[in-house]
Amino acid sequence: MNENRRQILEMLAGGKITADEAERLLAALDPAPTAVPEFTGTTSNGAPVRTRAKYLRVLVEADESMTGVKGQTTVNVRVPMQLLRAGVRLASLIPAQAHNQLDEAFNRKGIPITLSQIKPENLEELIDHLEDVTVDVDGRDGNMTKVKVFCE
Amino acid sequence: MTPNFAVVQIEMPHWRTFRLWLPLFLLWIPLILLSPIILIVVVAVCLVGRVSPLRALGAFWAITCSLPGTEVTVHTDGNHVRVKIL
């Protein structure tokens, strides 16, 4: 465990700080990056340096007609990129005998994927390129649902 | 780093904000005590599924360690629920 984090937890356990203060201190140790990831500096030769995205953010705004709940509903999910990387490693645990069944199921849904051809390095590449993805979906014909997916 | 706390915050209109800190690190105690049984079960399941137990444990450990930073917020009609893993 990080030494600073341990100290904060010890102070919280010892009653020296409140839970709110501990949360603020822990958040300060791991500051959330700004909403738009992009370029944050330049190299000595003036070339932009790209920061590595830490989180995948999914924002959903739905109105009453979609949810059946009065007023607007907002869902905001932040997933660490590290969790996505760890998640794709699970794909390598799928037993070989299950590959054919999964491939058939994908094909029936019109997704031509052969799982056995996907290697861990492909999945890593996929996650890396996810950092460049921004998805914006706006509802039409009176449907006010909005979905936004981006990395930050 | 494994998750230490989960913070559950609930805000409802006409109610005071309710915030609950769940000490996830305390889960280590039953986990360590039950580790021999868990290990046997995991190895048995992996052998049946023809998966390397080491790779399976590695993948689950990686997922556990990458959980901190996960946050889910739902807001509707004045009600606000937030779950954060630290």
Side-chain angles (χ1 to χ4, degrees), chain A residues 42-106:
Chain A
T42 54
T43 58
S44 55
N45 61 3
V49 177
R50 186 165 195 153
T51 55
R52 207 169 167 83
K54 282 179 77 178
Y55 300 103
L56 180 76
R57 178 80 71 170
V58 181
L59 298 172
V60 181
E61 287 178 15
D63 64 355
E64 209 173 320
S65 63
M66 280 297 291
T67 59
V69 179
K70 202 176 89 181
Q72 194 178 49
T73 300
T74 312
V75 179
N76 185 345
V77 181
R78 186 179 78 169
V79 183
M81 295 298 275
Q82 205 57 38
L83 184 58
L84 294 181
R85 282 174 206 283
V88 295
R89 280 177 64 186
L90 277 181
S92 65
L93 297 177
I94 298 172
Q97 60 266 35
H99 280 188
N100 287 341
Q101 291 174 17
L102 285 168
D103 290 345
E104 280 173 24
F106 278 132

Side-chain angles (χ1 to χ4, degrees), chain A residues 10-25:
Chain A
E10 281 172 359
M11 287 189 327
L12 176 65
K16 291 177 185 166
I17 55 172
T18 65
D20 283 344
E21 288 167 338
E23 187 187 11
R24 278 200 295 276
L25 288 170

